[in-house]
Amino acid sequence: MSGQSLLVPGRLSPTRSVPSSIPRPEYVGKDAPTPYTGPEVQDAETIERMRIAGRIAAQAMEEAAKHIAPGVTTDELDRVAHEFMCDHGAYPSTLGYRGFPKSLCASINEVICHGIPDSTVLRDGDIVNLDVTAFINGVHGDNNATYLCGDVDEESRLLVERTREALNRAIKAVKPGRRINIIGRVIESYAKRFGYGVVRDFTGHGINSSFHSGLIVPHYDSPHHDTLIQPGMTFTIEPMLTLGTYDYDLWEDGWTVVTKDRKRTAQFEHTLVVTETGAEILTLP
């Protein structure tokens, strides 16, 4: 594995502004969102609005990813995604969610998820996950992907490639009438072939007008999560695979989650809607 030194927190830039003409999610300016009490199955009109939100989120992530290179700060990636979403009339869902200070999550190397963009400079050989969510027309679209920065070692490249494949396999397993734990069963059985850890405490989730509806989508085989999959359900799948343990530590910022053994980790995510025969990806650029 790469001999990169471990990450340390950088400096935060001032909070970015969002034009007043762009509607905010209800949780902005509050300690926590109002609990979602609506259905997990969405109507056709809501799903169509989610296609728009998902497309903007995917395009914003794609635009930020174009700037990934040694010497670029994660704060610069945040700026690119922030401006793209605002230019397209969308609010960056993470900005102000439970106090999160930035418009995307940037998680490098040993960071499992929720890395805060700051003055940290990307290095040759890093892997970096960008997690971007857009809110527009009253709904959210959420996606993430792990990217290679410069010349990345083979072990890390394979981890990234196989994590993407784990997501693809999980999406193919989504069928009406199955239980939600089929998703984790498929991911964990695939990850075990390579000796990877599968993060348990951070999961996929229901998403619609709520950023996190309360529906939990585990990425490991969990008999306790047996919600019936139904057409019209909207949720994310976002497996986090590790080169070592799935246990983690939390930085003092209350957000940045790192592997306990500080080995590398990768993640990929799409927002989906269940169809009559499978699943449609809503976060395509």
Side-chain angles (χ1 to χ4, degrees):
M1 194 184 78
S2 170
Q4 298 281 47
S5 58
L6 298 178
L7 292 166
V8 295
R11 297 182 311 278
L12 284 181
S13 63
T15 302
R16 294 190 162 86
S17 62
V18 177
S20 58
S21 58
I22 295 177
R24 273 74 168 147
E26 58 82 24
Y27 52 75
V28 173
K30 296 163 55 178
D31 291 338
T34 302
Y36 179 71
T37 57
E40 297 297 345
V41 172
Q42 305 303 310
D43 60 31
E45 189 269 341
T46 301
I47 292 167
E48 184 54 40
R49 285 187 283 130
M50 288 184 68
R51 282 194 185 94
I52 295 169
R55 183 166 61 248
I56 291 173
Q59 290 171 339
M61 184 176 74
E62 193 175 62
E63 194 63 32
K66 291 177 184 176
H67 296 260
I68 291 174
V72 175
T73 65
T74 53
D75 188 66
E76 173 65 9
L77 304 179
D78 182 79
R79 181 194 65 79
V80 172
H82 176 94
E83 292 181 0
F84 185 96
M85 285 185 274
C86 291
D87 288 347
H88 289 78
Y91 185 92
S93 299
T94 60
L95 184 61
Y97 179 78
R98 296 184 181 273
F100 192 84
K102 292 296 175 181
S103 298
L104 59 71
C105 300
S107 302
I108 303 171
N109 298 344
E110 69 268 22
V111 180
I112 294 172
C113 58
H114 303 159
I116 300 174
D118 58 18
S119 62
T120 298
V121 174
L122 295 177
R123 301 162 298 182
D124 185 59
D126 282 342
I127 59 174
V128 56
N129 178 275
L130 301 182
D131 193 337
V132 179
T133 310
F135 177 80
I136 188 170
N137 298 326
V139 295
H140 300 267
D142 185 4
N143 68 164
N144 77 56
T146 302
Y147 299 91
L148 309 180
C149 181
D151 184 18
V152 175
D153 67 274
E154 185 68 9
E155 186 179 38
S156 298
R157 284 175 177 273
L158 286 172
L159 174 67
V160 170
E161 178 183 308
R162 290 164 177 167
T163 306
R164 182 190 292 112
E165 176 63 15
L167 173 60
N168 291 338
R169 289 178 180 230
I171 292 171
K172 290 176 183 175
V174 174
K175 306 283 185 188
R178 290 180 170 177
R179 301 287 172 175
I180 207 86
N181 52 19
I182 186 67
I183 292 167
R185 193 172 306 133
V186 166
I187 291 168
E188 188 169 42
S189 64
Y190 179 70
K192 278 184 173 179
R193 288 167 49 181
F194 310 104
Y196 296 154
V198 181
V199 172
R200 291 172 172 250
D201 288 0
F202 302 91
T203 68
H205 52 89
I207 184 170
N208 37 65
S209 60
S210 173
F211 194 171
H212 299 84
S213 73
L215 175 68
I216 294 173
V217 184
H219 304 120
Y220 62 97
D221 189 359
S222 170
H224 307 295
H225 294 88
D226 61 353
T227 302
L228 184 69
I229 297 174
Q230 303 175 65
M233 288 177 74
T234 49
F235 53 81
T236 72
I237 304 176
E238 44 188 299
M240 292 152 259
L241 305 187
T242 66
L243 288 176
T245 183
Y246 59 73
D247 290 332
Y248 63 90
D249 292 322
L250 185 66
W251 279 8
E252 289 185 4
D253 60 25
W255 284 104
T256 306
V257 180
V258 295
T259 54
K260 188 167 280 290
D261 57 12
R262 303 305 189 263
K263 290 186 177 181
R264 288 187 168 190
T265 175
Q267 182 184 16
F268 283 84
E269 173 187 23
H270 276 305
T271 296
L272 312 171
V273 60
V274 181
T275 67
E276 295 295 334
T277 58
E280 175 194 346
I281 299 172
L282 297 178
T283 38
L284 292 175

